[in-house]
Amino acid sequence: GMVSNWTKIPPPLFKKVVIVLIDALRHDFVFGSKGKQFMPYTTQVIKKGTSYSFIAEAKPPTVTMPRIKALMTGSIPGFIDVIVNLNSPALLDDNLIWQAKTAGKRIIFYGDDTWVKLFPKHFVEYDGTTSFFVSDFTEVDDNVTRHLDRVLKREDWDLLILHYLGLDHIGHMTGPNSPLVGPKLREMDNILKKIHISLLSKEGEASLPSLLVVCGDHGMSETGSHGGSSEGEVHTPLLFISSAFEKRSGPVTQPELVQQTDLASTLAVGLGLPISRNSVGNLILPVVGGKTIREQLRFLHLNGFQLSRLLQENTPAYEKDPGYEQFKIAEKSHGNWIKLYLEGNNSEILLNLGKKVLKQYLEALKTLSSSLSKQVAQYDMYSMMVGTVIIMEVLLLLLLSVPKALSSRAEFEVPVSPPLFSLLFYLMCLMLCAVHVIVCTSAESLCYFCSMSWLTAVGVMMLISALMCGILSAIGKILENSRLPVKNPVVSSSSWSEVDVLILAGTIGHVLSLGASSFIEEEHQTWYFLINTLCLALCQELCRNHFLLKECDPQHGTTVKQNFDGIGEASDCKNIDVPAAGNSKLGKVASSAEFIKGSDKWISLASPWIILICCRLLRSLNQTGVQWAHRPDFGHWLTSSEHKSELSFLAAVSLFLIFFLVQRRCSLVSKIAMAFGLLGVYSYRAAIGNVVFPWQHDSKDISKGITEARFVYVFVLGIVFTGTKDLLKSQVISADSSMKSTGLWEVYSGLVLLAALLFRPHNLPVLVFCLLIQTMMTKYIWRPLKFDAAQITIMHYWFGQAFFYFQGNSNGIATVDVSAGFVGLESYVEIPAIFLTAFATYAGPLLWAIHLLCCLSSEISRSSAAVGHGCFCYALMRSIPVAIYVVLVTGLRYHLFIWSVFSPKLLYEGVHVFITAAVCLFFTAMDQNHSQKLQD
């Protein structure tokens, strides 16, 4: 007709809507065997009730805040929301909650306080609970349920949202197969029963029906965590329960797969609200299936119109998009159907044509949604390029500084004064500022760098200019030095060995592998291969050293002390520092072969093979990566409830071995503190129910173990404080190398104790093997072969990376053990929780880095530049892969797996860079004596 009401919002289909969001609810918890056993009422409603059930697919990252955004806006959040998840800002995008509030709907919320942060001043009543205190299973849900009876009796609300966190916390602490999961699911089932019965009792014949929506924000992996893209993490149940639906009959079929973003569009139609502007979701048709064909077509047209408008805003050539073309065809068919309908044609033709148009709309919506989901990422290329340029300049400056940094004086100078007073610096600043003005005034989309203050932007431009001038100055000096005749040339005997070639080839190979998604998913295989190959190369070097090379001077044998304190040299072989680039042997003792008496020679030869065996055992402990993560491993076997006694025995033996390996160089007070601390670790694990004491027959009540954990923290702080006191004495009062060595070892011991507390009991052998391999390599490989600081640093770095994966970590967010951040905490405290989680995650690389400092500082045979060499090499080894990876990720920003594979890896690399920076600062502080000697 001439007058149409298609622009008006259709009336609501439901009077009241209750959304029950159960955090980390996996699809098999409802549709699988656990659902049948522990959720009988929900299962009955699914099978024979008035309901529709679906499996909603969430996009990574599968953490709470981005998933709430997806559910309420229908859009796909960015990966940066993983970090923002810790402290969510208010959501400014068009969303269902804002639309409901604008339409005068009264909204009540109870549960995760992330909602309160995202939607401030949107709820007429709310009670938020922190989502990060994962050791709380009961109070966090009781705080929601205590409001239910009172609210369900009231009539002064239209939308009720309940977000339950207990199941997610159980997953983080004990995994999806925990005996605690069943009772929690039964509790959720009783709550759903109460809500459903209450809603049915309130419905009158004249009023609109109510709707109960049951969903999860994400699932959980086989280890109980989430954030990745495995099936258990991305598939969640989505239930619509209402008396408006027809009762189900016939056999139960497999639930249909829908997108999590579809919920926003469906609820908007159900509540009579506009669909959110940036939603890429489709209307779930069965929910409105009870309405007439004309109404269903109108709903689908509204959804299609919204999606096509979003496509027009984001795609210049939108008219050629298949989805847009399909929508226009369906819209035309819809118009023809309306003409027939208005003519009063009620024949079979009208019905068939209506079904055909319905099908056309559904296909068009699916194509439009798919097209928009791929185009959803809008990259701020200008800001990305500025960041990439700075990173590459710093890397180039590090590489150009290699010869001086690895010389006998260990100098790392960045020429600052000449560039800052050069004409080139000012010209570059002016040129970059001009480019900045042009880009920022012509950019249509929002740019992060352009949104900065002009003072900050000019500062960044000056930094880029200064770095570039510094690089040019360094290149000029290298060219100038290469032309000068060399006085008293020293013939360098530092020819490249097999170990040097392997180190270089391994580093280059690892960096190149970062361009492939499969290599990133299975990066642990790369590091396992590299350290295994390194062990074989070391075995060859040891055999050559013991059987093929002659001692440098039989008249002056080298005596070797068989402890970690260092080696006293009696030989006349000179210590030569040769300036060279790359990974060549620097500061190497000319006599590379030492005479080792008795069994030490054979232990030295056996060491690489023992290390290989240790690494093979560790590989079996935790399956990680993506392809084989689902396979059973020794860790899963140990953590199952029927093997608690075996786990307890292994944990006790591991803690004893940790004490034996780490106490050797500690003072008596630290030894006692370490013994009590490790006893406290076992007591903590027994308190929370992971292990049992031998005299425990019945499983005692599980507690949070706060007292026991804090008991351990006291000893950790005591040991670290004792070590720090010795370090300060050695640095400030007297330059005593033995005191400095003891202080470093005590700081290291304190960190080992902290790691023992934070590691899950089945991971304690990782700590044991870490200490064992460090001891063997120091005593039986590095000392006899006389490796220089650069080589030892790179080997430490490689083993640190391998131990990162031996812990069970991967490049997916799901393997982060969040529970470690709450050991000993009664409530969520942000800074300690972040520190503990980061330490537990990067314990492997961190312990190997601190051991490197202990190793280089304690051996008196090493030149004074050893610590400086180690610091520089460690920084360089971290910088090369990060810088290249940033460039690769920028180039692969439209890759299919950019959000599920490349982005999580970038996040891990970023955090690792911060940790490396802290380690290098500690190295520099410990190397102050050397710098003072240079000044003198």
Side-chain angles (χ1 to χ4, degrees):
M2 294 300 291
V3 182
S4 174
N5 66 347
W6 72 273
T7 53
K8 293 180 182 177
I9 304 297
L13 307 179
F14 305 102
K15 183 183 179 184
K16 290 181 184 290
V17 175
V18 180
I19 301 172
V20 180
L21 194 155
I22 303 171
D23 212 292
L25 186 67
R26 273 170 38 154
H27 69 287
D28 57 338
F29 285 176
V30 174
F31 303 127
S33 57
K34 280 190 174 73
K36 292 174 185 174
Q37 185 179 355
F38 300 113
M39 301 187 78
Y41 183 80
T42 307
T43 305
Q44 185 67 18
V45 171
I46 291 168
K47 286 182 177 178
K48 296 180 181 176
T50 54
S51 69
Y52 289 106
S53 52
F54 304 92
I55 292 175
E57 184 179 26
K59 300 290 183 190
T62 46
V63 293
T64 297
M65 196 271 277
R67 295 303 97 222
I68 295 172
K69 274 190 178 181
L71 287 165
M72 293 296 107
T73 64
S75 60
I76 300 172
F79 200 86
I80 193 67
D81 286 325
V82 172
I83 300 167
V84 181
N85 185 55
L86 295 170
N87 190 14
S88 313
L91 181 61
L92 302 176
D93 292 350
D94 187 10
N95 59 80
L96 186 77
I97 303 294
W98 182 83
Q99 291 284 3
K101 184 177 181 290
T102 306
K105 305 280 185 188
R106 294 155 300 178
I107 314 166
I108 294 176
F109 170 77
Y110 303 117
D112 185 350
D113 62 0
T114 306
W115 289 77
V116 182
K117 293 173 185 175
L118 285 172
F119 310 106
K121 300 178 183 177
H122 285 66
F123 306 118
V124 294
E125 187 181 312
Y126 65 88
D127 186 10
T129 55
T130 181
S131 58
F132 295 108
F133 188 50
V134 296
S135 56
D136 177 14
F137 307 150
T138 51
E139 290 174 25
V140 75
D141 286 346
D142 292 344
N143 195 46
V144 178
T145 309
R146 67 192 174 96
H147 299 284
L148 262 185
D149 291 328
R150 178 174 51 83
V151 170
L152 290 173
K153 289 173 185 175
R154 286 159 44 185
E155 293 289 338
D156 61 342
W157 57 271
D158 302 294
L159 179 59
L160 173 64
I161 303 170
L162 309 171
H163 188 148
Y164 285 95
L165 289 161
L167 185 65
D168 177 64
H169 291 182
I170 289 170
H172 279 300
M173 293 299 288
T174 57
N177 300 314
S178 164
L180 298 170
V181 169
K184 180 56 69 176
L185 290 176
R186 189 175 286 113
E187 180 190 337
M188 294 296 105
D189 190 54
N190 292 331
I191 289 163
L192 294 174
K193 181 180 180 181
K194 180 190 286 187
I195 296 169
H196 189 212
I197 291 170
S198 175
L199 290 176
L200 288 175
S201 66
K202 291 285 181 73
E203 288 180 9
E205 291 182 8
S207 66
L208 288 170
S210 298
L211 174 67
L212 171 60
V213 180
V214 184
C215 61
D217 54 346
H218 51 74
M220 65 172 77
S221 66
E222 286 305 311
T223 58
S225 193
H226 56 87
S229 54
S230 66
E231 187 180 340
E233 292 167 85
V234 299
H235 285 175
T236 62
L238 177 59
L239 309 179
F240 295 92
I241 304 168
S242 174
S243 58
F245 306 148
E246 291 181 5
K247 245 187 179 179
R248 297 181 72 89
S249 58
V252 179
T253 56
Q254 178 70 19
E256 184 187 341
L257 186 70
V258 296
Q259 294 302 310
Q260 196 179 55
T261 48
D262 296 344
L263 181 65
S265 305
T266 307
L267 285 179
V269 169
L271 287 164
L273 303 170
I275 298 171
S276 300
R277 180 187 181 88
N278 296 318
S279 171
V280 297
N282 294 342
L283 175 67
I284 301 172
L285 192 62
V287 176
V288 297
K291 299 296 173 182
T292 63
I293 288 282
R294 186 183 185 186
E295 288 176 297
Q296 289 183 49
L297 289 174
R298 188 177 172 205
F299 295 145
L300 290 172
H301 179 257
L302 281 170
N303 193 188
F305 182 78
Q306 175 262 326
L307 289 173
S308 62
R309 188 177 61 182
L310 186 61
L311 186 74
Q312 289 175 41
E313 291 171 0
N314 290 283
T315 311
Y318 66 90
E319 291 176 350
K320 294 179 182 178
D321 188 89
Y324 186 81
E325 290 175 352
Q326 288 174 0
F327 174 68
K328 284 299 173 186
I329 293 167
E331 198 175 40
K332 195 174 181 181
S333 302
H334 188 187
N336 294 333
W337 185 88
I338 289 285
K339 284 179 183 177
L340 283 173
Y341 179 81
L342 293 175
E343 288 169 5
N345 190 335
N346 292 319
S347 64
E348 191 75 22
I349 297 168
L350 187 71
L351 182 65
N352 290 336
L353 182 60
K355 287 179 179 177
K356 183 187 174 185
V357 177
L358 211 66
K359 192 177 178 183
Q360 285 177 334
Y361 267 135
L362 288 172
E363 287 176 0
L365 290 177
K366 190 176 180 182
T367 312
L368 277 168
S369 181
S370 175
S371 179
L372 284 164
S373 298
K374 290 172 186 173
Q375 296 174 8
V376 77
Q378 294 181 352
Y379 295 102
D380 180 4
M381 281 308 298
Y382 179 50
S383 303
M384 289 168 70
M385 291 306 295
V386 170
T388 305
V389 166
I390 294 171
I391 289 169
M392 293 309 294
E393 282 183 332
V394 172
L395 176 63
L396 193 54
L397 206 54
L398 280 170
L399 291 170
L400 289 170
S401 304
V402 165
K404 271 199 169 186
L406 296 184
S407 68
S408 59
R409 292 171 66 84
E411 292 176 331
F412 177 60
E413 290 182 348
V414 178
V416 177
S417 300
L420 290 179
F421 296 103
S422 66
L423 180 63
L424 178 64
F425 171 74
Y426 294 110
L427 286 174
M428 281 194 70
C429 278
L430 283 171
M431 185 185 73
L432 290 172
C433 287
V435 170
H436 183 67
V437 171
I438 292 166
V439 171
C440 292
T441 52
S442 60
E444 294 178 3
S445 58
L446 184 67
C447 170
Y448 173 74
F449 191 39
C450 292
S451 66
M452 286 180 172
S453 67
W454 277 100
L455 195 64
T456 310
V458 170
V460 173
M461 298 305 171
M462 289 176 70
L463 174 65
I464 294 171
S465 305
L467 286 170
M468 182 55 70
C469 292
I471 289 166
L472 294 174
S473 177
I475 292 170
K477 281 189 177 181
I478 291 170
L479 293 173
E480 188 181 334
N481 292 336
S482 66
R483 290 173 188 165
L484 294 173
V486 181
K487 295 179 181 179
N488 302 323
V490 178
V491 179
S492 173
S493 61
S494 58
S495 59
W496 283 53
S497 68
E498 287 87 344
V499 173
D500 294 320
V501 174
L502 171 63
I503 284 171
L504 182 63
T507 303
I508 294 170
H510 169 250
V511 170
L512 293 176
S513 73
L514 296 175
S517 60
S518 298
F519 274 98
I520 292 173
E521 287 178 339
E522 308 299 323
E523 191 183 353
H524 59 286
Q525 303 284 11
T526 304
W527 289 112
Y528 295 167
F529 171 76
L530 287 177
I531 60 167
N532 288 347
T533 312
L534 177 64
C535 286
L536 293 174
L538 291 173
C539 183
Q540 183 192 16
E541 287 280 327
L542 285 166
C543 289
R544 181 187 293 147
N545 187 61
H546 290 307
F547 297 122
L548 299 179
L549 299 180
K550 294 179 181 179
E551 287 75 20
C552 76
D553 189 354
Q555 304 297 322
H556 301 89
T558 305
T559 58
V560 183
K561 287 174 72 177
Q562 297 303 320
N563 57 15
F564 193 81
D565 290 344
I567 50 176
E569 291 191 339
S571 71
D572 288 341
C573 301
K574 293 181 181 178
N575 190 355
I576 303 169
D577 280 281
V578 183
N583 295 318
S584 58
K585 298 183 178 181
L586 300 159
K588 193 171 205 177
V589 178
S591 61
S592 62
E594 284 186 343
F595 180 68
I596 301 176
K597 293 181 179 180
S599 61
D600 288 336
K601 173 182 175 180
W602 300 107
I603 295 173
S604 178
L605 289 168
S607 294
W609 300 102
I610 295 169
I611 293 167
L612 277 172
I613 292 166
C614 292
C615 292
R616 185 64 194 88
L617 291 171
L618 287 172
R619 286 182 69 170
S620 304
L621 188 64
N622 293 304
Q623 287 283 5
T624 185
V626 174
Q627 299 295 330
W628 296 279
H630 63 281
R631 290 191 178 180
D633 52 41
F634 191 49
H636 277 96
W637 184 84
L638 284 168
T639 50
S640 60
S641 54
E642 57 267 25
H643 299 124
K644 190 175 278 190
S645 56
E646 289 90 340
L647 178 62
S648 303
F649 176 75
L650 182 68
V653 171
S654 298
L655 291 170
F656 174 76
L657 290 173
I658 289 168
F659 176 76
F660 175 74
L661 290 166
V662 88
Q663 54 81 35
R664 293 168 298 124
R665 297 201 50 218
C666 295
S667 63
L668 181 62
V669 174
S670 294
K671 284 180 183 179
I672 295 167
M674 177 64 69
F676 278 110
L678 291 171
L679 188 62
V681 170
Y682 194 89
S683 301
Y684 166 72
R685 288 296 165 185
I688 64 171
N690 293 146
V691 297
V692 291
F693 282 107
W695 55 84
Q696 265 183 254
H697 299 292
D698 301 323
S699 59
K700 68 171 187 176
D701 294 335
I702 294 173
S703 72
K704 294 177 185 175
I706 291 169
T707 307
E708 292 85 350
R710 289 179 178 177
F711 176 78
V712 179
Y713 284 138
V714 169
F715 291 111
V716 170
L717 292 172
I719 295 169
V720 172
F721 176 77
T722 307
T724 308
K725 183 188 69 176
D726 290 342
L727 286 175
L728 289 172
K729 275 186 184 177
S730 69
Q731 295 288 90
V732 179
I733 299 170
S734 63
D736 187 352
S737 59
S738 63
M739 186 181 287
K740 179 180 174 182
S741 174
T742 305
L744 279 171
W745 189 260
E746 288 189 334
V747 170
Y748 176 72
S749 303
L751 294 178
V752 169
L753 179 57
L754 180 60
L757 174 65
L758 300 180
F759 275 20
R760 302 277 178 120
H762 74 277
N763 258 349
L764 287 173
V766 176
L767 207 51
V768 173
F769 283 129
C770 175
L771 296 168
L772 180 65
I773 292 170
Q774 286 171 354
T775 305
M776 293 192 74
M777 293 200 79
T778 303
K779 197 171 181 180
Y780 298 113
I781 295 177
W782 292 326
R783 284 180 188 169
L785 294 179
K786 289 294 178 186
F787 282 125
D788 62 43
Q791 291 168 315
I792 290 176
T793 300
I794 294 167
M795 290 184 209
H796 270 86
Y797 177 79
W798 279 21
F799 272 95
Q801 291 296 103
F803 270 85
F804 175 79
Y805 295 104
F806 284 143
Q807 288 175 234
N809 291 320
S810 72
N811 287 325
I813 306 296
T815 49
V816 176
D817 184 9
V818 182
S819 64
F822 302 91
V823 174
L825 298 182
E826 274 184 315
S827 60
Y828 174 63
V829 188
E830 190 169 347
I831 293 173
I834 292 171
F835 169 77
L836 292 173
T837 305
F839 179 83
T841 305
Y842 291 94
L846 199 54
L847 289 177
W848 277 90
I850 303 300
H851 181 269
L852 168 66
L853 184 56
C854 294
C855 179
L856 297 179
S857 299
S858 62
E859 294 192 11
I860 56 174
S861 63
R862 297 203 173 274
S863 69
S864 58
V867 174
H869 290 168
C871 179
F872 180 82
C873 287
Y874 197 80
L876 188 64
M877 287 301 293
R878 191 85 283 276
S879 302
I880 293 171
V882 170
I884 302 299
Y885 188 67
V886 166
V887 175
L888 288 171
V889 168
T890 306
L892 296 168
R893 62 190 178 278
Y894 294 113
H895 194 282
L896 183 63
F897 300 130
I898 186 66
W899 301 117
S900 58
V901 178
F902 291 101
S903 294
K905 170 66 176 170
L906 188 63
L907 183 63
Y908 272 108
E909 292 292 318
V911 177
H912 201 168
V913 165
F914 276 109
I915 291 170
T916 304
V919 168
C920 288
L921 283 173
F922 189 49
F923 267 70
T924 309
M926 293 300 101
D927 199 29
Q928 286 303 306
N929 283 346
H930 170 59
S931 60
Q932 285 168 11
K933 284 176 189 174
L934 286 178
Q935 288 170 8
D936 296 341

